[in-house]
Amino acid sequence: MSDTNPRDKRFNALAADMRWQKAWDDAQSFKADDASPKPKAYVLEMFPYPSGRIHIGHVRNYTMGDVLARYKRMTGHEVLHPMGWDAFGMPAENAAMEKKVHPGSWTRENIASMRAQLKKLGFALDWSRELATCEPDYYGHEQALFLDLLDAGLVYRKESAVNWDPVDMTVLANEQVIDGKGWRSGAPVEKRKLSQWFLKITDFADELLEGLTTLDAWPEKVRLMQENWIGKSKGLQFHFNFVGGRRAFEVFSTRPDTIFGASFTAIAPDHPIAQDLAKNSPGLAKFIAECQQSGTAAADIETQEKKGFDTGLRVEHPLDPEHHLPVYVANFVLMDYGTGAVMGVPAHDQRDLDFARKYGLPVHRVIADGDADDIVFEGKEAFTGEGRLVNSHFLNGMGVDEAINAVIAKAEHDGWGKAKTTWRLRDWGVSRQRYWGTPIPVIHCESCGPVGVPRDQLPVVLPEDVSFDIPGNPLNRHPTWSKVDCPKCGSPARRETDTLDTFVDSSWYFLRFASQPDDKPFDPEIVKQWMPVGQYIGGVEHAILHLLYARFWTRALKRIGKLDVAEPFAGLFTQGMVTHETYVLPGNFLSEDGSIIFLPEDVIFVGDFYHKDTQQRVIYSPNSDGGLAHYVSPAQIRKVGERAYFGASEVELAVGRVIKMSKSKKNVVDPDEIIEQYGADAVRWFMLSDSPPERDLPWTESGIEGSWRFVQRLWRIFGESDAKASGEDKALLRKMHQTIDGVAKDIEALSFNKAVAKIYELANAVEKAPPSASRNETIRALMLLVAPMTPHLAEQGWNEQGSATLIADAAWPEVNPALLVEDEATIAVQVQGKLRDTLTVPKGLPKEELERLALASDKIIRTLDGATPKKVIVVPDRLVNIVI
Ligand code: ANZ
Ligand code: ZN
């Protein structure tokens, strides 16, 4: 290995990367010690899916975590900073089908190459705790935890709809349904009912909501998204009677104040009444079948056209039995929310208004919009704001809240309804009809029903001899695997062939990182020492499901006494994405009306679509994803000055948006290539420097080159330490201490770009300063300051200063608080209001002393030219103004 020559002006990054990565490995520098008496710090980044290659988003994510982990070590903490693999899931099965490789070997090969890539970045990871969720020594423990929850009554079985591909005869995952069609067969997907396993997350709805208030180191927006997802709604549940008095159905409304504005009622397509009516109405049966074809995800419902079928039935208004309302079956009413039926108040609910306008139903205003209070409501936009009640009998004049309470009180008094709290949160269906997942440890027996696999028979291991040449779950058609005897009665029984949702795997991996005994999932005593994770870092795309499931799983284990931690992640940070310019063939990038197309990765859905950065409501259609655009890969771009052309042709390319790097947009840069070219430290530095970490970071050639130059500049500065230099440089020392203090605070706040800016400034100051002992001290401090960010460079510099120990083990430099405050003041000396001199004096000099010094200045004496001052105005530490 060619070593870096200290007199070499260039920093040989690749040699240093290799040398120090090996040194850390040999010294096991980053192995976390459970028994350490030091205060503990758990730094965790969301573990990657082993798709094959590390992408730049990973690099940014893990660099941030790494800086924090290294900094924590330097400030005296025992740090747990582990890495592993979220290794089950669909892509491995797709690869198996397409490339005829086993999902296991595909996954393990990917892990091997991604591990090698991560190692090249010099992350301070405790590799001894590495885990992969696809290995029996992980998922076997998950099976044990599943059985614990089953025993505790937190798991149950229920019929639930799946996506069924009628051509491939297989269940499809949601990702495999594209525009309502199977991804391979193209056949319209049907809904089928299957008996599936559910986890009772709704039992925890209140705690999960309540717990959010304790998470003050989480981004506000993530807490809000979780809150909306849990969706606690208070309102009135009440029943309608059919005309004539027979009881009809119950509805749930959060706005019972608007009850006099109701002009129709609607029930879900799978509401029992609708199902019943359909038996004698082919028209309704056809309508229901249509509804079931389109997606039932809340997001689909929002974007679909509102459609209904008039059943011909009529119900009485509960407060005015003379008033009759039609009963529709409508596609926007969900069976599993509230009661599966609604009252429609078109003037004050947008969906109801769309519906009413389509079917010509009355639209009556019952909430005044400013002065507008007439009963006939015009327009296509519902009024959902606050206002006084109008056209509403005894409610007239009340505010919304008052009227809600009044209607609830009346309903409860008269006996037709009750105050009710409804939740949006549903129980978590965890059954997946797939091979590459954790086998659900249950055996189905004809006489005993579902029986948990006895614990001494865990893990239930996936069979290796499976084939993927036909669609469907190979576990179902395996000749022997599912054939077992009932653990209870011994008669022939069938092993469960569904596997667990991969979100289960990621709901407890952070516990297994903290403690991984062979005989149980974790040791709660050891877990307690590390947990909660101090800082969790990942993408905002996991703001809802992953984080909610992990919070639930932790609380469930606490409830059954397996764990003494309530919230798994004390601190959460969601980092921005790495973006890059795109080039597109002209013509089809913007939508026809010129409006901006929001890409799926730009939006989040929380009851409505919001832009992920601005949190503004946006218009988004899942189909208008810009997928029409023809993105052009760098190899096909020919640049002539500012212009870009397609290959050798004269077709000019449009510069597309700067968007998240992704294969389909052909704008990725390969981490391996850039590490090879610039070294790990320049890449790490760039990831931290240009943008605040929560914002997107545009990748640019000039940016990475700038980082590379700065690494080289630091290297030159490190070489300028001069053993013979002596003397103090107070100003430089002050700058140094201020920087140490500021960088520490910035790292703790994860404001890496600010820390970087301060380091740039200190480097500038060192370059300008003449040699001195203080300058040597500052150069040393500079090495320590960049050690978390550019660790290879820092080690190399440290080593060449003659240090026998690693900078990875060094302590963060101490701050001298006395040097944080400025102790000198610069005084402006004015004559007749004009600046004539400046004086540098100790802070806090008395007025008389400042006046004396000012009048003694040569420049002032010359300016005064013998004139006698009439008046001298002194502002301590700032100014002396002489009036003549
Ligand atoms: C009348 C009304 C008037 C409503 C009004 C809203 C505004 P959140 O807040 O999300 O809980 N709703 C109730 N059950 C439904 C179901 N199964 N499918 C679709 N919509 C349903 O929503 C509660 C509101 O959503 C309820 O209040 C109901 O419409 C509708 F100016 O009742 B509301
Ligand atoms: Zn049995």
Side-chain angles (χ1 to χ4, degrees), residues 772-849:
S772 66
S774 304
R775 189 174 188 265
N776 292 347
E777 194 184 333
T778 308
I779 290 172
R780 218 178 132 79
L782 206 46
M783 290 178 195
L784 291 163
L785 288 180
V786 298
M789 302 166 179
T790 57
H792 312 85
L793 171 76
E795 288 290 2
Q796 190 73 32
W798 193 249
N799 179 262
E800 281 173 21
Q801 292 236 315
S803 171
T805 54
L806 293 168
I807 202 168
D809 292 327
W812 187 253
E814 295 257 353
V815 174
N816 178 352
L819 287 176
L820 290 183
V821 283
E822 297 285 348
D823 60 358
E824 284 175 341
T826 306
I827 310 290
V829 186
Q830 302 174 335
V831 177
Q832 301 294 74
K834 264 199 173 162
L835 183 68
R836 296 296 183 179
D837 196 9
T838 54
L839 304 172
T840 304
V841 300
K843 258 195 174 172
L845 281 192
K847 284 189 176 188
E848 310 77 63
E849 181 65 8

Side-chain angles (χ1 to χ4, degrees), residues 160 196-199 201 426-432 501 549:
S160 165
Q196 305 193 59
W197 293 100
F198 283 82
L199 299 187
I201 189 170
R426 296 279 87 98
D427 276 339
W428 176 13
V430 292
S431 295
R432 295 293 178 274
D501 180 1
Y549 290 152

Side-chain angles (χ1 to χ4, degrees), residues 569-645:
F569 313 119
L572 173 72
F573 187 80
T574 53
Q575 95 273 10
M577 294 184 295
V578 184
T579 59
H580 197 198
E581 57 191 12
T582 50
Y583 286 88
V584 278
L585 280 168
N588 50 9
F589 189 65
L590 294 177
S591 62
E592 288 91 346
D593 64 356
S595 61
I596 298 173
I597 297 165
F598 285 97
L599 300 172
E601 60 260 34
D602 290 339
V603 299
I604 48 183
F605 180 81
V606 185
D608 239 308
F609 292 101
Y610 296 89
H611 193 273
K612 69 167 179 28
D613 296 328
T614 63
Q615 313 291 301
Q616 306 258 23
R617 284 252 302 258
V618 296
I619 299 175
Y620 163 75
S621 147
N623 309 330
S624 68
D625 70 6
L628 289 174
H630 284 290
Y631 291 90
V632 175
S633 69
Q636 291 173 302
I637 300 168
R638 178 168 56 90
K639 283 198 180 160
V640 183
E642 292 285 283
R643 292 166 178 246
Y645 297 90

Side-chain angles (χ1 to χ4, degrees), residues 571-746:
L572 173 72
F573 187 80
T574 53
Q575 95 273 10
M577 294 184 295
V578 184
T579 59
H580 197 198
E581 57 191 12
T582 50
Y583 286 88
V584 278
L585 280 168
N588 50 9
F589 189 65
L590 294 177
S591 62
E592 288 91 346
D593 64 356
S595 61
I596 298 173
I597 297 165
F598 285 97
L599 300 172
E601 60 260 34
D602 290 339
V603 299
I604 48 183
F605 180 81
V606 185
D608 239 308
F609 292 101
Y610 296 89
H611 193 273
K612 69 167 179 28
D613 296 328
T614 63
Q615 313 291 301
Q616 306 258 23
R617 284 252 302 258
V618 296
I619 299 175
Y620 163 75
S621 147
N623 309 330
S624 68
D625 70 6
L628 289 174
H630 284 290
Y631 291 90
V632 175
S633 69
Q636 291 173 302
I637 300 168
R638 178 168 56 90
K639 283 198 180 160
V640 183
E642 292 285 283
R643 292 166 178 246
Y645 297 90
F646 185 58
S649 79
E650 290 306 310
V651 178
E652 188 171 348
L653 298 174
V655 181
R657 292 201 287 156
V658 177
I659 48 178
K660 179 185 180 181
M661 286 190 194
S662 81
K663 270 193 202 145
S664 65
K665 307 297 180 307
K666 310 213 173 128
N667 65 340
V668 285
V669 299
D670 177 32
D672 270 0
E673 276 171 30
I674 56 177
I675 297 167
E676 195 73 23
Q677 200 174 343
Y678 299 101
D681 289 339
V683 176
R684 295 170 57 115
W685 187 260
F686 179 58
M687 291 289 112
L688 301 166
S689 53
D690 271 18
S691 299
E694 66 280 9
R695 299 265 194 81
D696 287 353
L697 170 71
W699 176 270
T700 60
E701 201 73 12
S702 57
I704 179 69
E705 266 160 21
S707 295
W708 184 81
R709 277 197 305 275
F710 187 64
V711 167
Q712 296 298 339
R713 226 177 107 196
L714 282 174
W715 179 242
R716 280 194 301 277
I717 293 173
F718 291 173
E720 287 171 4
S721 194
D722 177 356
K724 291 191 294 293
S726 65
E728 192 183 62
D729 182 338
K730 198 76 180 288
L732 186 63
L733 282 184
R734 184 170 296 122
K735 181 89 192 159
M736 175 188 102
H737 282 280
Q738 286 169 347
T739 307
I740 295 169
D741 185 55
V743 168
K745 288 181 178 140
D746 288 339

Side-chain angles (χ1 to χ4, degrees), residues 88 93 102-103 139 143 170 431-442 460-484 494-500:
F88 274 137
E93 285 189 49
H102 190 276
Y139 69 68
Q143 291 168 337
T170 181
S431 295
R432 295 293 178 274
Q433 293 71 36
R434 319 256 31 125
Y435 167 75
W436 195 232
T438 299
I440 294 175
V442 169
V460 176
V461 178
L462 285 171
E464 286 286 316
D465 52 335
V466 284
S467 69
F468 291 88
D469 34 12
I470 44 173
N473 179 358
L475 293 178
N476 278 332
R477 52 176 189 265
H478 191 281
T480 54
W481 188 74
S482 64
K483 292 181 185 134
V484 285
R494 188 181 61 83
R495 198 184 276 296
E496 171 72 63
T497 54
D498 285 354
T499 53
L500 288 172

Side-chain angles (χ1 to χ4, degrees), residues 233 252-255 258 332-334 337 342 348-349 351:
S233 290
F252 170 72
S253 173
T254 48
R255 294 292 306 275
T258 63
F332 67 89
V333 183
L334 304 167
Y337 187 69
V342 302
H348 305 294
D349 181 279
R351 290 180 300 188

Side-chain angles (χ1 to χ4, degrees), residues 228 231-236 238 251-259 261-262 266-268 301-302 330-352 366-367 382-384 422-424 426 607:
N228 289 345
K232 184 177 188 173
S233 290
K234 288 189 188 155
L236 175 69
F238 65 95
V251 303
F252 170 72
S253 173
T254 48
R255 294 292 306 275
D257 55 314
T258 63
I259 195 162
I267 59 178
I301 302 273
E302 271 326 291
N331 67 344
F332 67 89
V333 183
L334 304 167
M335 189 56 219
D336 64 353
Y337 187 69
T339 60
V342 302
M343 70 161 171
V345 185
H348 305 294
D349 181 279
Q350 192 59 48
R351 290 180 300 188
D352 296 350
V366 288
I367 307 284
F383 176 67
T384 56
T422 295
W423 303 81
R424 178 190 292 276
R426 296 279 87 98

